[in-house]
Amino acid sequence: MALFTINNVIISGISACVPKNEELNSDYNLLTENEKNLLIKTTGIERRRIAQNNTTTSDLCYTSAVALLKKLNWDSSEIDLIIFVSQSPDYYLPATSILLQDRLKLPKTAMAFDINLGCSGYVYGLSVISSLMATAKIKKALLLSGDVSSFSINKKDKSAYPLFGDAGTATALSYKEGCEPIHYNLQSDGGGYEAIIITDGGVRNPINKDSFEETEIEKGITRSKINLKLEGMDIFNFSLREVAPNINNLLSFANKEINSFDFFVMHQANKLMNESIRKKLKIDAEKVPYSLDKYGNTSSASIPLTIVSELKEKLKGEKKNLIISGFGVGLSWASALICTENLICTQVLEYE
Amino acid sequence: MMTLEEFVKNVELEIDDLPPGTLTAEINYRDLETWSSMYALIIIAYVDSTFSVMLTGEDLRNCNTVKDLYNLINSRL
């Protein structure tokens, strides 16, 4: 089991950046007025930010990182490790983290690599970066995470298009002896790989001329094999089944009570789904912030983006205990128990 | 376990998108003019939180009426 504790690593600051361009679900005319209202009510998503002009995830993460380093008063030369978590990298290869090493002027003595995960990516990313830092006593590191999901989703797919937004975030971590530990529980189930998938473009189904052909799956759902396919019901079932037990097992492992936590930040996918999970865990609504309404599902950016947009003021002082949980594409899911102290957050930045 | 009548009423309330009385035990729910996968998600969530029974997309495809769903839930309690 991937249930473990990491000591001596603390999150020093978080930053988030979204495209300035906004789309409203009330303008999504593939749906009737009635359907729009039901969508907004059920998913909780009113508007989303959509990247334009070939803006990439790395652009959004870069902007976040620059602002964060400035606010923390860190020099790029101090960073020894950078990890980029995304499923919309700049290139198939080389890894985007290395491009960012250069762009951010990190030293050549820094370690840099990518992690290919989505919804679970932030928690997985934290587990990897904090483990490395603890083992190697790395003093300062950056975890950049996010996606420009809009890149892969067909506008004519009503089952996916109105759900996703674009964002990129940066999290700065420090090695600090004696700080509160972080506990993790990470899981996987490849049996559910078809729940969220882009079928063509990798090595399994190489790009060919049929890849671009759009098919009407049913009324209101048209996509090609290079577009994201989302089986909403399967993901819904998976989340209702797996997330709460994962968190309960983590709490048992860490010997903690759920009531001792101040906030529960979930990956922002669907309000009905998240509320169902919240109720299963018997957590009060005021402990569960949402950024879904403003930004939609922002993949591995959703947890840090929600912290920046909803908890910035609440986390800037004394110690606070948080449960964070990401779940989805893979299928992959993970939770962590983190403690913040004097957490420094920027505003949610906008990129044009 | 609530009665079929209560179940039908509660499901209609949860969906909150139908004129009261539209949903009956016997109609094929997929024939509802406004039926969408949103309704399916709402039903799945409601049944999970009320009965701790997890209906899947497959279950909803295999059932046709609210009565079918009610019987299925009963068989899994």
Side-chain angles (χ1 to χ4, degrees):
Chain A
M1 276 187 277
L3 259 172
F4 56 89
T5 302
I6 299 296
N7 293 302
N8 306 324
V9 177
I10 191 166
I11 299 176
S12 299
I14 307 180
S15 174
C17 179
V18 296
K20 186 155 191 213
N21 175 52
E22 189 176 69
E23 283 184 15
L24 294 129
N25 275 349
S26 52
D27 288 341
Y28 185 64
N29 291 324
L30 218 69
L31 298 171
T32 64
E33 277 313 302
N34 221 49
E35 285 174 330
K36 280 182 212 171
N37 291 332
L38 188 61
L39 174 94
I40 293 170
K41 195 172 65 166
T42 312
T43 64
I45 302 168
E46 291 172 21
R47 38 202 216 276
R48 298 156 291 107
R49 301 300 185 103
I50 302 294
Q52 300 197 293
N53 308 320
N54 279 8
T55 299
T56 66
T57 311
S58 73
D59 292 329
L60 301 172
C61 288
Y62 170 77
T63 307
S64 297
V66 166
L68 185 57
L69 291 175
K70 184 161 182 216
K71 192 147 189 197
L72 288 168
N73 217 8
W74 285 12
D75 194 85
S76 341
S77 61
E78 300 175 85
I79 313 277
D80 290 321
L81 167 60
I82 179 168
I83 300 181
F84 178 71
V85 181
S86 182
Q87 297 188 307
S88 47
D90 281 5
Y91 303 101
Y92 200 49
L93 55 93
T96 306
S97 51
I98 313 173
L99 291 155
L100 285 160
Q101 173 275 340
D102 185 53
R103 210 173 158 192
L104 287 166
K105 301 191 190 4
L106 306 191
K108 289 184 191 159
T109 47
M111 183 176 174
F113 62 96
D114 288 6
I115 291 178
N116 181 345
L117 285 170
C119 325
S120 66
Y122 186 68
V123 183
Y124 259 82
L126 272 181
S127 78
V128 172
I129 205 167
S130 60
S131 299
L132 268 169
M133 290 175 76
T135 310
K137 293 199 173 55
I138 289 174
K139 299 282 178 294
K140 293 190 159 110
L142 278 177
L143 175 67
L144 306 189
S145 68
D147 265 312
V148 288
S149 306
S150 64
F151 179 76
S152 306
I153 305 178
N154 197 310
K155 277 204 171 72
K156 295 177 279 193
D157 183 350
K158 66 173 184 180
S159 71
Y161 191 79
L163 306 179
F164 291 90
D166 301 333
T169 64
T171 299
L173 296 107
S174 308
Y175 186 87
K176 185 180 176 191
E177 295 255 350
C179 68
E180 293 292 330
I182 307 177
H183 308 281
Y184 296 100
N185 187 8
L186 308 119
Q187 295 184 250
S188 60
D189 178 7
Y193 81 100
E194 289 178 298
I196 303 179
I197 188 169
I198 296 175
T199 56
D200 284 17
V203 181
R204 184 62 75 192
N205 301 316
I207 289 271
N208 58 81
K209 53 180 166 50
D210 292 338
S211 308
F212 302 93
E213 202 177 290
E214 291 187 341
T215 313
E216 192 183 36
I217 313 291
E218 61 176 74
K219 186 159 174 285
I221 302 181
T222 299
R223 57 175 177 245
S224 73
K225 292 186 196 161
I226 54 159
N227 289 139
L228 184 89
K229 176 170 82 113
L230 167 67
E231 299 291 352
M233 227 166 297
D234 294 345
I235 285 288
F236 198 78
N237 271 124
F238 147 72
S239 307
L240 287 184
R241 193 180 60 238
E242 299 290 352
V243 177
N246 174 281
I247 292 170
N248 284 326
N249 289 339
L250 179 56
L251 290 166
S252 289
F253 168 75
N255 218 2
K256 304 250 183 214
E257 293 291 322
I258 204 158
N259 301 320
S260 65
F261 288 85
D262 299 295
F263 299 107
F264 174 35
V265 187
M266 268 184 281
H267 165 60
Q268 306 283 293
N270 174 314
K271 188 151 195 195
L272 178 64
M273 191 161 84
N274 286 18
E275 279 293 285
S276 301
I277 294 166
R278 176 183 75 74
K279 287 170 192 167
K280 264 188 204 290
L281 292 165
K282 301 193 191 354
I283 301 180
D284 288 334
E286 67 261 16
K287 289 186 175 182
V288 182
Y290 284 98
S291 67
L292 250 187
D293 54 328
K294 301 183 271 288
Y295 303 114
N297 180 341
T298 51
S299 184
S300 55
S302 80
I303 292 169
L305 173 60
T306 304
I307 292 174
V308 171
S309 83
E310 309 302 312
L311 299 178
K312 177 179 192 260
E313 295 303 313
K314 294 180 177 155
L315 298 179
K316 73 181 185 188
E318 45 166 33
K319 279 189 191 171
K320 288 276 189 267
N321 294 301
L322 279 73
I323 307 174
I324 59 174
S325 187
F327 39 93
V329 58
L331 299 168
S332 175
W333 64 110
S335 308
L337 307 177
I338 64 177
C339 180
T340 62
E341 190 176 7
N342 304 323
L343 184 71
I344 294 178
C345 293
T346 61
Q347 301 282 20
V348 176
L349 307 161
E350 287 185 323
Y351 185 96
E352 212 161 1
Chain B
M1 172 67 178
M2 67 176 74
T3 66
L4 173 57
E5 241 167 34
E6 285 170 336
F7 180 67
V8 172
K9 201 159 66 126
N10 288 339
V11 168
E12 192 179 69
L13 278 169
E14 277 301 309
I15 292 172
D16 192 29
D17 193 49
L18 297 162
T22 315
L23 193 64
T24 69
E26 305 291 342
I27 61 160
N28 189 321
Y29 46 74
R30 270 180 298 275
D31 288 340
L32 284 168
E33 205 191 312
T34 49
W35 173 262
S36 73
S37 52
M38 285 292 151
Y39 283 23
L41 295 182
I42 293 167
I43 293 172
I44 291 171
Y46 168 70
V47 170
D48 180 52
S49 68
T50 311
F51 305 104
S52 297
V53 166
M54 192 79 75
L55 294 178
T56 63
E58 183 77 21
D59 289 330
L60 283 163
R61 277 190 292 276
N62 292 337
C63 291
N64 293 310
T65 65
V66 179
K67 187 175 181 188
D68 292 340
L69 289 174
Y70 181 79
N71 291 335
L72 183 61
I73 295 164
N74 251 318
S75 73
R76 293 198 185 157
L77 283 173

